[in-house]
Amino acid sequence: MSVQTVKTTPFTDQKPGTSGLRKKVKVFQGQHYLENFVQSIFTAIGGGHGKTLVLGGDGRFYNPQAVQTILKMAAANGVSRVLVGRNGLLSTPAASAVIRKYETSGGIILSASHNPAGPDEDFGIKYNIGNGGPAPERITSAIFEESKKISDYSILDWPDIDLDRLGGQMVGDMSVDIIDPVADYQVLMESLFDFGKIRALFQSGFTLRFDAMSAATGPYAKAILEGALGAAPGTVVNGDPLEDFGGHHPDPNPVHAKALFDLMYGEDAPDMGAASDGDGDRNIILGRGLYVAPSDSLAALAANAHLAPGYKDGLKGIARSMPTSRAADRVAEALGIPSFETPTGWKFFGNLLDADMATLCGEESAGTGSNHVREKDGLWAVLLWLNIIAERKQSIPEIMAEHWHTYGRNYYSRHDYEALEVAPANALMDALRGKLSSLVGQTFHGETVASADDFAYTDPVDGSVSTGQGLRVAFESGSRFVIRLSGTGTVGATLRVYLERYEPKGGDMGMDTQDALATIITIADEVAEISARTGRDAPTVIS
Ligand code: G1P
Ligand code: ZN
């Protein structure tokens, strides 16, 4: 057994984005690329000595090879013990749950989330801290700084281990425990939800279609929904994780989960439809003929969470990312609890959850979660919906209709323009940023601008400031649009345009979303010069 010190030179592009470092597989396979980043993590966290870590990923192409490399590097960096999901698989929320349960120093998660997988597609890696959540900016910046000056890395000369065999193995002096990726997560879900009531719901004939999109959630959904809760066999479709996710793009939205949408809007729709993404942290929820916008799902879950045992004492607060619709704020107001508006990305929720200031969190990008872990959690959201349905004995469309009747409706949609050229996309942002202050007071198509700014956030717990988090233009009517560039894409630039209009209670709750937003869509295009500057006449994805 020998520790090798390998000479290397820095890469300039290892700055973690919204959720870790994401690049094409081919980039990660390049000489020293993965190793440089992993060594930068170890150096940035003060070395591995005496630490226990969790390691796993969404099962995509290159996941097993990366696990083997990271284990040898962890051993060479003095790590004492690593818990690894069998075959290197751990959904992102399950990794968070395992870090918390075993109180490890942190974990390394291998995922590019909803990005496609395969030899020519994407791979990703991120570090999570001891609370189970994504490393905050001070750590991701330290990793980036290390990556810019790295000159060598340490790796143990040791054979690959058997990732399929549950139990203990050694890599040098470091012990490795291969764990069942589902077991700990399932125990946690059983502690939060009334499995007996949900089982009775399925026994009474309630039908669900859960699309695991050939990605990480399949084993979890099968074990919990079809196993513990007795949903009919076949409830979970695309339930076997494939290294290329079956060639699909595992992002649960109307474009990539089209089969599920078609089913739910068709004649033979089950009572509920749901899907999750590549690494299992996202979710979408559909009722018969109704797609519940993720922002609305957060609001409805917040309003009803007390019906599930894990939340019976109520919520401390609700946090949402800035571009997420303000529907949840109305629920917080009614409950008399605080609401928080954070930048995009789950890492900003960690402090609020740790400080017990917020219980539920959500993002418009199909992410909902709570203080049970420090990641968003797709299957958790499905189970909370099921628990609420079991208690209320109403359909999803009935629950949402009552919700809008009580709180009014925030019509909401996101338009994405993917794979744009980087320079014009940056120029669009610069131009809009430059004219924000002059917009206030101007009227466009009958909508007068009340405020316009570049969102900055001061963390109420540690006082850290994050600037440049998205351009937002709000109108006197309560409508608004927000524009930002994606921090997770790997090809060119992705422009995200978030559109929102509030219809107070008593108004028309049954409009088509795109129709309801038509004026705001036109104004956003004019003010930000979207079609003019991108040359696109329509978004790539509307969700
Ligand atoms: C996207 C979503 C964001 C989410 C992130 C990770 O980031 O917009 O809400 O937290 O993926 O799942 P973006 O590509 O917009 O930077
Ligand atoms: Zn994800």
Side-chain angles (χ1 to χ4, degrees):
M1 171 185 109
S2 67
V3 173
Q4 297 184 312
T5 304
V6 181
K7 291 266 166 268
T8 186
T9 48
F11 295 92
T12 53
D13 64 347
Q14 296 198 325
K15 185 177 169 47
T18 312
S19 187
L21 183 69
R22 291 194 193 164
K23 299 283 172 197
K24 290 286 168 203
V25 167
K26 292 261 177 342
V27 174
F28 272 104
Q29 286 172 323
Q31 197 182 23
H32 305 321
Y33 195 88
L34 173 69
E35 291 86 347
N36 272 22
F37 190 71
V38 172
Q39 185 61 57
S40 300
I41 293 175
F42 285 125
T43 310
I45 63 171
H49 274 279
K51 293 192 166 116
T52 296
L53 295 176
V54 172
L55 176 61
D58 59 20
R60 67 178 57 225
F61 184 84
Y62 195 56
N63 191 103
Q65 294 90 326
V67 166
Q68 300 283 4
T69 300
I70 293 167
L71 286 174
K72 291 169 204 175
M73 290 186 67
N77 277 276
V79 171
S80 331
R81 182 175 173 222
V82 184
L83 306 172
V84 186
R86 183 166 56 207
N87 291 321
L89 192 85
L90 275 174
S91 76
T92 293
S96 185
V98 174
I99 292 171
R100 293 173 67 77
K101 177 165 179 175
Y102 298 99
E103 299 182 355
T104 72
S105 305
I108 294 178
I109 301 180
L110 306 173
S111 169
S113 187
H114 49 288
N115 296 14
D120 296 316
E121 297 295 352
D122 294 353
F123 191 75
I125 172 168
K126 68 172 180 172
Y127 182 70
N128 277 29
I129 58 175
N131 72 356
E137 280 195 322
R138 110 190 107 71
I139 296 179
T140 54
S141 306
I143 296 171
F144 182 44
E145 290 309 315
E146 290 302 330
S147 79
K148 289 191 288 192
K149 58 182 195 219
I150 187 169
S151 57
D152 52 59
Y153 61 83
S154 303
I155 187 161
L156 197 70
D157 190 9
W158 194 263
D160 284 357
I161 63 162
D162 182 358
L163 294 174
D164 194 23
R165 179 157 54 88
L166 290 177
Q169 298 176 54
M170 297 302 285
V171 174
D173 294 333
M174 180 181 84
S175 53
V176 176
D177 286 295
I178 306 290
I179 60 168
D180 176 346
V182 178
D184 296 311
Y185 179 83
Q186 181 167 338
V187 169
L188 180 58
M189 293 303 112
E190 284 166 0
S191 76
L192 296 173
F193 302 117
D194 190 333
F195 271 40
K197 281 234 167 73
I198 302 175
R199 207 177 294 122
L201 177 72
F202 282 120
Q203 262 160 16
S204 74
F206 185 87
T207 50
L208 167 68
R209 165 74 59 91
F210 182 94
D211 191 339
M213 302 191 91
S214 306
T217 341
Y220 299 85
K222 279 200 227 169
I224 295 173
L225 297 172
E226 294 183 13
L229 294 171
T235 295
V236 178
V237 297
N238 300 316
D240 294 320
L242 302 175
E243 65 171 22
D244 66 348
F245 301 147
H248 300 300
H249 194 126
D251 195 0
N253 64 32
V255 172
H256 299 297
K258 185 168 184 306
L260 181 68
F261 277 79
D262 288 348
L263 176 77
M264 294 309 298
Y265 281 89
E267 297 252 301
D268 302 320
D271 295 301
M272 177 173 171
S276 57
D277 71 333
D279 61 332
D281 57 356
R282 294 186 173 197
N283 76 90
I284 48 165
I285 302 291
L286 296 102
R288 252 189 213 131
L290 177 75
Y291 166 52
V292 184
S295 296
D296 273 346
S297 181
L298 172 66
L301 291 179
N304 292 287
H306 61 278
L307 298 173
Y311 307 93
K312 65 177 188 334
D313 297 331
L315 310 177
K316 288 285 168 53
I318 307 169
R320 62 165 174 84
S321 67
M322 181 274 285
T324 301
S325 99
R326 292 168 290 190
D329 301 8
R330 298 180 190 284
V331 176
E333 202 186 339
L335 293 172
I337 56 175
S339 52
F340 299 92
E341 185 175 44
T342 62
T344 298
W346 210 261
K347 60 184 172 221
F348 294 100
F349 293 135
N351 278 351
L352 296 170
L353 295 168
D354 284 353
D356 211 15
M357 293 164 78
T359 310
L360 291 203
C361 309
E363 293 193 278
E364 51 67 39
S365 53
T368 12
S370 86
N371 59 357
H372 69 291
V373 287
R374 293 295 181 271
E375 292 278 3
K376 53 190 179 248
D377 188 344
L379 197 48
W380 167 90
V382 175
L383 294 169
L384 181 49
W385 265 104
L386 285 167
N387 202 145
I388 290 166
I389 293 164
E391 286 290 345
R392 288 186 53 156
K393 301 185 172 49
Q394 286 174 301
S395 71
I396 292 173
E398 284 166 351
I399 291 172
M400 286 317 301
E402 276 190 25
H403 188 90
W404 294 325
H405 183 75
T406 309
Y407 299 98
R409 180 169 180 182
N410 291 66
Y411 284 98
Y412 185 85
S413 181
R414 186 177 99 187
H415 291 192
D416 291 336
Y417 297 78
E418 294 176 349
L420 298 174
E421 282 177 53
V422 175
N426 284 332
L428 183 157
M429 293 297 289
D430 291 343
L432 179 58
R433 195 178 293 110
K435 68 177 172 191
L436 284 174
S437 54
S438 69
L439 292 176
V440 179
Q442 285 195 54
T443 302
F444 302 89
H445 299 274
E447 292 276 1
T448 303
V449 178
S451 66
D453 66 355
D454 188 350
F455 179 58
Y457 176 67
T458 303
D459 187 298
V461 178
D462 65 17
S464 59
V465 177
S466 304
T467 56
Q469 297 295 328
L471 308 178
R472 49 182 187 177
V473 178
F475 300 92
E476 285 173 358
S477 63
S479 296
R480 67 170 187 165
F481 71 86
V482 172
I483 298 193
R484 58 180 283 281
L485 292 176
S486 159
T488 59
T490 57
V491 183
T494 293
L495 185 76
R496 303 204 193 283
V497 185
Y498 309 84
L499 304 139
E500 180 175 353
R501 164 181 161 188
Y502 180 59
E503 186 69 18
K505 67 190 219 185
D508 185 351
M509 298 299 146
M511 280 180 273
D512 172 80
T513 299
Q514 300 305 316
D515 290 347
L517 294 169
T519 304
I520 299 301
I521 293 170
T522 305
I523 297 172
D525 186 53
E526 272 177 35
V527 171
E529 303 167 37
I530 298 169
S531 42
R533 286 176 177 274
T534 64
R536 302 277 180 88
D537 53 12
T540 325
V541 179
I542 294 179
S543 54

